[in-house]
Amino acid sequence: MRKAHLRRAFPWLLATLLVAMIAGYYALTEPVTYMQRVSPDSSITRNPYSAAQRWLAQRGQPSERILSAAALFPLPDTRTTLVIDKHRGMLTPNQVNTLLEWVQNGGELVVEARPLPSLIEASDASDADWQDNDPLLFPLG
């Protein structure tokens, strides 16, 4: 009689043990994520705006990287947003005026200011130093 009782209880004991082992596993462990660093694709190292361009493309907004100030003109439609970094080429006074008029007509312009050369302190810089350093942003103050 006792043997028959153990045979009927054995599957339940085994199931209970299995549930306890699974519960213990999840209670005593935690998931670990491994990150492996890889060097970026060469197209990314050549274009520091690659991520921004991909983000804009996902939202259906085309973008283009222009490498010189001369290639910027003629200016695009005023529905365009221009992002100009501090490594932009030198703009002529006529180009600066054209670009500022484009902004006044509704164009959006984001410009990274150029730092002053290390020989000039900001507190000692004259208006001429600021204008020579960044003729695009000087008229905007």
Side-chain angles (χ1 to χ4, degrees):
M1 175 93 173
R2 199 167 214 195
K3 219 175 191 185
H5 183 63
L6 280 175
R7 279 192 190 170
R8 276 189 275 163
F10 183 72
W12 289 105
L13 288 173
L14 190 60
T16 304
L17 180 62
L18 185 61
V19 168
M21 288 174 57
I22 291 171
Y25 172 79
Y26 283 106
L28 299 174
T29 61
E30 64 183 59
V32 178
T33 303
Y34 291 99
M35 296 185 77
Q36 182 178 6
R37 294 190 182 266
V38 295
S39 60
D41 186 310
S42 64
S43 66
I44 294 171
T45 56
R46 285 180 300 199
N47 182 2
Y49 301 101
S50 178
Q53 286 181 303
R54 287 184 184 178
W55 182 76
L56 289 169
Q58 286 176 350
R59 280 144 187 80
Q61 185 173 356
S63 64
E64 180 181 350
R65 184 172 182 223
I66 298 174
L67 299 175
S68 70
L72 182 59
F73 294 91
L75 290 170
D77 186 9
T78 55
R79 292 176 293 186
T80 304
T81 300
L82 293 177
V83 179
I84 302 176
D85 70 359
K86 66 182 177 185
H87 301 293
R88 61 189 177 273
M90 291 302 293
L91 296 168
T92 66
N94 190 26
Q95 289 173 328
V96 169
N97 290 334
T98 303
L99 194 53
L100 293 175
E101 286 174 16
W102 179 83
V103 171
Q104 287 177 344
N105 291 332
E108 292 184 9
L109 178 64
V110 179
V111 181
E112 180 182 3
R114 289 182 177 152
L116 282 171
S118 59
L119 303 174
I120 303 173
E121 291 292 324
S123 58
D124 299 333
S126 67
D127 282 351
D129 292 331
W130 286 109
Q131 186 169 10
D132 286 344
N133 184 59
D134 203 333
L136 177 59
L137 293 181
F138 180 76
L140 302 175

